[in-house]
Amino acid sequence: MPEPFKLILKNLDEPGFTPDIGCYQRHGGYEALKRALAMPARDLPDGKKLSPQEALREDVKASGLRGRGGAGFSAGLKWSFVDRRSGKPIYLICNADESEPGTFKDRQILHKDPHQLIEGMILSCWANDVKLAYIYIRGEMPVAAKLLNQALKEARAAGFLGKNILGTGYDLEIHVHRGAGAYICGEETGLIESLEGKRAYPRIKPPYFPAVLGLYMCPTIVNNVETLCHVKHIVLMGPTEYAKLGTPNNTGTRIVSLSGDVQKPGYYEIQVGRVTLGELIFDPNFGGGLKPGRTLKAIIPGGSSSKVLKAGEVFKLNRKGADGQMAKVDVSLLDLPYDFDSLQQAGTMSGSSAVIVLDDSRSMVQTLGNLSEFYAHESCGQCTPCREGALWLSKATHRLSHGEGRKADADYLTHIAQNIQGRTICAFGEAAAWPVLSFVKKFRDEFEAQGAADEAAHAKSQGTSSPKSSDPRSAAGSLQTH
Amino acid sequence: MSFSVPASLEAELDELTTHYPVKRSASLMFLHALQEHFGYISKDAVEWTARKLGLQPINVYELVTFYPMFRQEPLGKTHIKVCRTLSCSLAGSAELRERFCTRLGLDPHAHAAQTTPDGQFTVEFVECLASCGTAPVVLVNEDLHHKVGTAEADAILKQGQKA
């Protein structure tokens, strides 16, 4: 039977574990920091020497750690892109703006084990010669912001933060910065703009890659809360041992946020790829199955922006056969290992590892309506296709959910979504478009049936066979014809 | 009444400004602190922030209109934010919000934030509060309430009457 594996979550739900530094240190806290800062330079086989900081950067690369915020990009590689020759200060920002619908993992760390994040951050800052760092936390988490400020104060008093950390001559300051309710601040360049005191309009890349032109146009690292926590464990375990957790190219553990129509919603830490989607939903150690008498309809596997998966789907995955050759193998939805690569091969993503389960009592039309309203509300408004398109998507799904739909709305929705994706500065365009494209593609019959039923009801009440041309809905609908 | 920021709050904000190499970065933190103190962001608060940070008022005002948490009018003493997004919606957050509105004599179908005439309550639908595993969730001022059913909803209202 698959079991949760607690690395990041090891202490935080233990009875008696409190967020103060005393308790954290009684559980081995700040030992990784002490160990790293005492590390000697590392001799390489070719006679070169790595400074202890360079060695940690190499270890993070070797650990295979991939970003836990959504993109799943190699953390070590991200660090390696940092421009270290510009002479400008290097900044590190912890992205604690957890707001992808379905995700509630960072919340646990921030509220219950803030020192784990701070230790991971200090290590990451030290490895990257960072002297000033920020925790950008969601405005809607005021309690966590206070806890973090308290934890930072304790860390300063204990000599882990501030001037001359542990007598090594290394100085670092970390400050908490609160957001104010805008989802787009989770996008790293939007977050940087917000931290500069501006509207969170994402920057165009190139040239504004944070590793080169980030905060105040200086090299900047933006890492997710959970990602930074892992750095501590890479130091303690060593990269080789760490990489034995999980599966090749999908190393370590991940905290999965499970919500929707399951018996036991909650956050579950797993070894990446060692537990399947089916086990996450049905195993008593995880979701514990669906509500009584219900069957599975769909899974949103990686936060609301990921493409929906339909019950019964079978995917072609690349697998190494007995002969060592890669071959395409059929894998059904519930047998998909929950990791970065398998979900990508299934045409979606593990994103922020938020799994939302939908059972047969749910209308896919209503569900998409809920999500599209979110994206319409959260578009920052900078790029026209997204600002206008996200609103059109929301209006069309809204009318379908309120008895005013049209049969052609399925095509209309697809058409708009296709004209948003790839035409915006940041990935929000894709985030708004992907749910629409996948819902309509995989549940087309539901959308068409709803539209047809609404048209029929409309015709009956109007005594005509089709909506009048003066109907404002027709004007919007005409977009689909060209 | 003229606008005046207490000396202790101003000192706190001056200290905050030192957290950033560029003063403008402190804008959001200023607005949070002023909103907490005054209950909303007035035109005076915008101008005061701009003066303190060496900005034009528009630089601050455009933040107030962009970030959903900032308010330009006073709100109720108990601010009830009901999560609207998917997992909470699946768990009945629309019905929950309707219950709050109906019990408070507010329009259950209006979408925007509504405040009771006596200034005790504001009810608002907000986007994902990042606690989908304990849906439906409601943020009451600073406190997050989990798995809010009708009994807890009524308890929140009862508590708010005393505020």
Side-chain angles (χ1 to χ4, degrees):
Chain A
M1 199 187 274
E3 298 216 341
F5 186 95
K6 292 192 173 189
L7 183 72
I8 305 293
L9 298 179
K10 182 158 183 266
N11 297 323
L12 58 76
D13 281 328
E14 288 303 311
F17 188 81
T18 49
D20 59 282
I21 196 166
C23 184
Y24 182 66
Q25 287 194 276
R26 283 196 297 281
H27 287 76
Y30 290 107
E31 289 306 317
L33 181 67
K34 289 179 194 163
R35 191 187 297 182
L37 264 57
M39 271 198 307
R42 184 182 296 173
D43 294 310
L44 293 183
D46 60 5
K48 284 189 190 143
K49 260 188 192 304
L50 282 184
S51 74
Q53 288 93 330
E54 284 172 317
L56 178 51
R57 297 206 295 266
E58 285 306 313
D59 285 354
V60 169
K61 214 187 271 180
S63 74
L65 176 65
R66 294 171 69 166
R68 274 20 178 185
F73 191 76
S74 158
L77 215 51
K78 195 175 194 178
W79 288 7
S80 75
F81 294 153
V82 170
D83 182 358
R84 297 175 200 283
R85 294 184 188 157
S86 66
K88 297 179 193 171
I90 299 168
Y91 295 108
L92 185 142
I93 307 169
C94 167
N95 186 344
D97 193 53
E98 180 166 66
S99 31
E100 175 75 11
T103 320
F104 49 97
K105 63 188 182 67
D106 296 339
R107 160 184 291 284
Q108 315 307 329
I109 300 165
L110 296 165
H111 284 87
K112 300 174 196 164
D113 199 358
H115 281 286
Q116 182 175 202
L117 167 63
I118 293 169
E119 185 174 9
M121 251 185 111
I122 300 171
L123 284 163
S124 304
C125 288
W126 173 76
N128 287 289
D129 308 309
V130 171
K131 304 281 197 301
L132 184 56
Y134 296 94
I135 302 173
Y136 188 106
I137 186 168
R138 272 196 83 164
E140 294 92 331
M141 294 185 181
V143 175
K146 283 175 191 158
L147 284 166
L148 280 170
N149 272 320
Q150 174 62 23
L152 289 168
K153 210 165 132 188
E154 292 169 348
R156 260 175 229 127
F160 300 131
L161 197 58
K163 295 269 177 219
N164 190 19
I165 294 170
L166 296 172
T168 57
Y170 173 59
D171 302 338
L172 169 68
E173 200 40 85
I174 300 178
H175 297 295
V176 175
H177 184 93
R178 292 181 65 201
Y183 169 74
I184 197 62
C185 295
E187 199 280 342
E188 61 180 8
T189 60
L191 185 153
I192 288 170
E193 284 283 307
S194 179
L195 186 46
E196 289 186 0
K198 302 170 192 163
R199 286 185 165 199
Y201 290 149
R203 295 174 177 172
I204 197 156
K205 297 183 270 189
Y208 299 110
F209 291 107
V212 182
L213 296 170
L215 185 62
Y216 312 124
M217 291 298 134
C218 296
T220 303
I221 296 165
V222 184
N223 282 145
N224 169 259
V225 172
E226 191 187 349
T227 311
L228 289 165
C229 289
H230 278 282
V231 174
K232 162 188 163 165
H233 298 281
I234 292 167
V235 169
L236 288 175
M237 299 172 75
T240 316
E241 281 305 302
Y242 179 90
K244 286 180 189 164
L245 295 175
T247 48
N249 204 39
N250 297 269
T251 60
T253 66
R254 274 197 100 167
I255 307 170
V256 180
S257 309
L258 183 65
S259 70
D261 298 322
V262 289
Q263 295 276 6
K264 292 196 303 162
Y267 48 95
Y268 300 99
E269 189 169 11
I270 60 167
Q271 290 198 53
V272 187
R274 298 268 185 106
V275 176
T276 65
L277 259 180
E279 287 163 344
L280 278 171
I281 296 169
F282 291 99
D283 195 279
N285 279 330
F286 299 101
L290 304 171
K291 310 256 167 75
R294 290 293 163 200
T295 54
L296 182 69
K297 186 167 191 179
I299 303 170
I300 300 172
S304 64
S305 309
S306 61
K307 290 188 176 173
V308 71
L309 301 174
K310 188 177 181 177
E313 272 193 272
V314 177
F315 308 97
K316 295 247 179 253
L317 260 59
N318 290 318
R319 286 276 172 85
K320 205 178 248 180
D323 55 359
Q325 296 295 309
M326 294 302 274
K328 293 270 186 203
V329 180
D330 283 344
V331 178
S332 64
L333 172 65
L334 296 179
D335 293 332
L336 272 180
Y338 197 75
D339 64 29
F340 297 97
D341 294 341
S342 300
L343 276 106
Q344 197 178 359
Q345 288 183 45
T348 182
M349 61 177 180
S350 60
S352 57
S353 64
V355 178
I356 306 174
V357 181
L358 299 165
D359 70 25
D360 61 338
S361 70
R362 304 300 182 183
S363 150
M364 297 310 278
V365 176
Q366 303 267 357
T367 303
L368 182 63
N370 184 287
L371 294 179
S372 291
E373 190 173 337
F374 172 81
Y375 291 103
H377 184 264
E378 298 299 339
S379 173
C380 81
Q382 191 178 205
C383 310
T384 309
C386 173
R387 180 185 64 240
E388 304 299 322
L391 199 63
W392 292 350
L393 291 173
S394 178
K395 282 181 178 169
T397 51
H398 185 269
R399 72 185 179 211
L400 272 167
S401 313
H402 290 78
E404 294 168 8
R406 298 150 46 102
K407 202 173 172 212
D409 276 342
D411 288 329
Y412 176 59
L413 285 165
T414 305
H415 176 77
I416 301 169
Q418 281 170 342
N419 280 290
I420 300 175
Q421 62 170 355
R423 290 176 160 85
T424 55
I425 285 174
C426 80
F428 185 100
E430 280 73 31
W434 285 347
V436 173
L437 292 171
S438 58
F439 270 67
V440 174
K441 187 178 168 197
K442 294 181 182 179
F443 297 91
R444 194 176 181 89
D445 49 343
E446 255 185 69
F447 285 82
E448 289 187 342
Q450 184 66 54
D454 290 355
E455 273 189 10
H458 185 78
K460 205 171 166 191
S461 69
Q462 297 284 310
T464 58
S465 59
S466 64
K468 287 179 208 151
S469 59
S470 62
D471 189 324
R473 293 175 296 161
S474 310
S478 69
L479 275 170
Q480 79 204 25
T481 56
H482 48 80
Chain B
M1 199 175 72
S2 67
F3 181 80
S4 114
V5 176
S8 60
L9 180 59
E10 186 165 0
E12 204 181 293
L13 291 172
D14 286 338
E15 195 277 327
L16 256 174
T17 313
T18 66
H19 294 183
Y20 307 94
V22 178
K23 278 204 285 189
R24 183 176 185 172
S25 281
S27 308
L28 287 187
M29 298 297 273
F30 266 59
L31 292 174
H32 274 302
L34 294 173
Q35 179 160 287
E36 256 162 53
H37 183 78
F38 294 104
Y40 69 107
I41 308 288
S42 62
K43 192 166 163 265
D44 288 330
V46 168
E47 285 173 0
W48 186 85
T49 301
R51 251 195 329 275
K52 288 290 286 184
L53 298 176
L55 301 168
Q56 293 300 320
I58 184 64
N59 302 140
V60 180
Y61 185 64
E62 68 170 2
L63 304 179
V64 179
T65 56
F66 182 85
Y67 292 95
M69 281 180 77
F70 297 132
R71 303 288 163 199
Q72 296 183 71
E73 68 289 323
L75 293 184
K77 284 181 192 155
T78 298
H79 188 177
I80 300 173
K81 293 180 177 177
V82 182
C83 177
R84 191 207 63 85
T85 323
L86 188 55
S87 300
C88 283
S89 166
L90 295 175
S93 66
E95 294 77 6
L96 185 62
R97 180 184 157 281
E98 265 186 50
R99 184 178 183 89
F100 281 124
C101 289
T102 312
R103 305 276 312 227
L104 292 169
L106 300 170
D107 178 1
H109 304 295
H111 199 96
Q114 298 180 78
T115 301
T116 54
D118 63 0
Q120 285 297 116
F121 293 95
T122 295
V123 179
E124 186 181 14
F125 239 173
V126 296
E127 297 302 339
C128 188
L129 287 170
S131 191
C132 321
T134 55
V137 295
V138 177
L139 190 65
V140 182
N141 295 339
E142 294 205 336
D143 298 320
L144 192 67
H145 295 247
H146 304 272
K147 297 185 181 173
V148 180
T150 50
E152 171 136 28
D154 293 347
I156 290 169
L157 292 179
K158 205 169 169 192
Q159 189 66 35
Q161 301 289 4
K162 296 183 211 151

